[in-house]
């Protein structure tokens, strides 16, 4: 069962739950949203938390909810587009030079090299307080996930305190990639084996069927573009899914014209809303 509770300014944004699993969308919008912040997701369980993606607008979005990016202790990054990593440089620099400590990032060696060499290095490699080139490890503690077997695609697993995460490859970019094997690295996240978060992916029925068959997935938070084409799943494609799948599905990463669409009429639970805690029993 899922319950939805609005964030209250008087309480501030919680980084803990009462024990159960909760999700809080810092933002729900697509890459260039001007209304709903970017699709970055905070996962809470007991005393543990992890932020999935930290886009360009994420530090601003957190401040809207009374939090600093320095309050985030654990990160997972699904891929290297700016709406997923654009706030990481601020997180790295603020933690190092203001807070004076390093947050954790669940990341394997392969993607760590890509993320640092092609994205973070340009703004963070030359330190402010000492001479010489800085490294990823100067800013983040790497938490290495292990390979998870038994799926038809690459999957990594990590136990982050009480939160189990499985990072599975998705087929996001380029648009001509026929499968995840030919695509650039991008991940979705399975949380505690029951919450499926697609992050960014083209429509991939095989991915959904595989996870629904192998895991007790209760809810699916799925990438939803409001037109067909390109490198995201469209609402038109998702609407053709069977009723039993759509009845588990909450749509996110959508455009600012979302008011022109009705998710409930199409058989989905809803469009995800920022500023709400989604709690699972």
């Amino acid at each position: 069962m899922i319950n939805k509770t609005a964030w209250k300014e008087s309480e501030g944004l919680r980084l803990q739950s009462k024990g159960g699993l909760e999700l809080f969308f810092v933002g729900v919008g697509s890459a260039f949203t001007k209304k709903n912040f970017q699709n970055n997701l905070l996962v809470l369980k007991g005393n543990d938390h992890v932020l999935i993606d930290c886009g360009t607008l994420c530090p601003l979005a957190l401040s809207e909810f009374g939090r600093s990016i320095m309050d985030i202790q654990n990160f997972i990054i699904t891929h290297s587009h700016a709406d997923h990593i654009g706030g990481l440089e601020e997180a790295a620099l603020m933690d190092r030079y203001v807070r004076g400590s390093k947050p954790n990032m669940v990341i394997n060696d392969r993607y760590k090299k890509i993320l640092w060499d092609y994205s973070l290095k340009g703004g963070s490699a030359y330190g402010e307080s000492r001479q010489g080139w800085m490294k990823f490890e100067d800013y983040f503690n790497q938490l290495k996930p292990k390979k998870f077997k038994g799926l038809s695609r690459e999957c990594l697993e990590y136990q982050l305190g009480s939160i189990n995460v499985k990072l599975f490859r998705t087929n996001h970019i380029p648009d001509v990639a026929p499968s995840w094997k030919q695509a650039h690295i991008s991940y979705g996240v399975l949380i505690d084996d029951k919450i499926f978060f697609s992050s960014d992916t083209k429509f991939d029925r095989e991915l959904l069927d595989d996870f629904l068959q192998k895991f007790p997935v209760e809810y699916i938070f799925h990438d939803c573009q409001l037109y067909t084409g390109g490198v995201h799943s469209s609402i038109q494609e998702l609407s053709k899914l069977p009723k039993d799948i759509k009845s588990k599905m909450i749509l996110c990463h959508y455009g600012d014209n979302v008011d022109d669409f009705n998710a409930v009429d199409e058989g989905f639970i809803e469009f995800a809303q920022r500023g709400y805690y989604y709690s699972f029993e």
Side-chain angles (χ1 to χ4, degrees), residues 115-150:
L115 180 62
W116 178 255
D117 286 352
Y118 294 101
S119 297
L120 298 182
K121 186 176 181 179
S124 306
Y126 206 74
E128 295 183 12
S129 59
R130 66 174 170 84
Q131 294 295 316
W133 290 100
M134 310 282 278
K135 300 178 293 183
F136 177 94
E137 290 76 11
D138 290 309
Y139 294 104
F140 298 98
N141 297 312
Q142 180 186 9
L143 305 179
K144 288 188 181 183
K146 297 181 178 180
K147 290 184 178 180
F148 180 84
K149 298 180 181 180

Side-chain angles (χ1 to χ4, degrees), residues 33-250:
T33 180
K34 300 299 182 287
K35 292 182 180 180
N36 291 304
F37 292 115
Q38 294 152 337
N39 194 49
N40 301 164
L41 177 63
L42 186 61
V43 182
L44 314 172
K45 189 179 182 185
N47 294 324
D48 302 306
H49 74 268
V50 60
L51 180 65
I52 302 178
D53 291 330
C54 183
T56 309
L57 300 177
C58 188
L60 175 62
L62 284 171
S63 73
E64 293 280 317
F65 297 116
R67 283 287 180 179
S68 165
I69 190 65
M70 292 185 289
D71 294 330
I72 303 301
Q73 301 298 312
N74 302 294
F75 292 89
I76 289 173
I77 301 301
T78 64
H79 64 288
S80 294
H81 280 150
D83 55 320
H84 299 264
I85 66 164
L88 272 183
E89 182 177 313
E90 180 172 339
L93 296 176
M94 290 290 284
D95 278 325
R96 181 172 179 82
Y97 297 111
V98 179
R99 187 165 69 97
S101 61
K102 296 185 288 186
N104 304 312
M105 186 180 295
V106 179
I107 190 168
N108 65 354
D109 288 335
R110 182 184 178 194
Y111 183 49
K112 182 187 77 169
K113 180 174 174 57
I114 292 170
L115 180 62
W116 178 255
D117 286 352
Y118 294 101
S119 297
L120 298 182
K121 186 176 181 179
S124 306
Y126 206 74
E128 295 183 12
S129 59
R130 66 174 170 84
Q131 294 295 316
W133 290 100
M134 310 282 278
K135 300 178 293 183
F136 177 94
E137 290 76 11
D138 290 309
Y139 294 104
F140 298 98
N141 297 312
Q142 180 186 9
L143 305 179
K144 288 188 181 183
K146 297 181 178 180
K147 290 184 178 180
F148 180 84
K149 298 180 181 180
L151 291 168
S152 60
R153 64 186 62 214
E154 178 187 324
C155 185
L156 306 169
E157 182 177 30
Y158 194 84
Q159 188 69 36
L160 186 63
S162 61
I163 305 171
N164 181 270
V165 291
K166 293 180 176 67
L167 284 70
F168 52 88
R169 287 286 300 276
T170 60
N171 181 11
H172 179 33
I173 57 172
D175 58 351
V176 295
S179 80
W180 67 268
K181 293 180 181 179
Q182 292 80 31
H184 296 297
I185 286 185
S186 61
Y187 295 101
V189 185
L190 183 67
I191 305 162
D192 280 354
D193 287 349
K194 66 180 183 179
I195 307 300
F196 179 101
F197 176 65
S198 73
S199 190
D200 291 11
T201 180
K202 297 198 289 285
F203 182 73
D204 191 341
R205 178 65 189 273
E206 180 182 303
L207 169 64
L208 289 171
D209 287 344
D210 198 14
F211 274 76
L212 288 170
Q213 290 170 9
K214 291 185 170 66
F215 297 98
V217 175
E218 297 176 9
Y219 294 97
I220 301 165
F221 290 82
H222 207 286
D223 179 16
C224 179
Q225 184 173 263
L226 300 177
Y227 60 92
T228 300
V231 294
H232 296 273
S233 304
S234 71
I235 191 169
Q236 293 82 6
E237 292 168 315
L238 294 170
S239 294
K240 297 177 182 178
L241 288 168
K243 291 182 180 179
D244 62 324
I245 296 180
K246 290 193 293 183
S247 67
K248 297 174 182 277
M249 194 170 282
I250 296 173

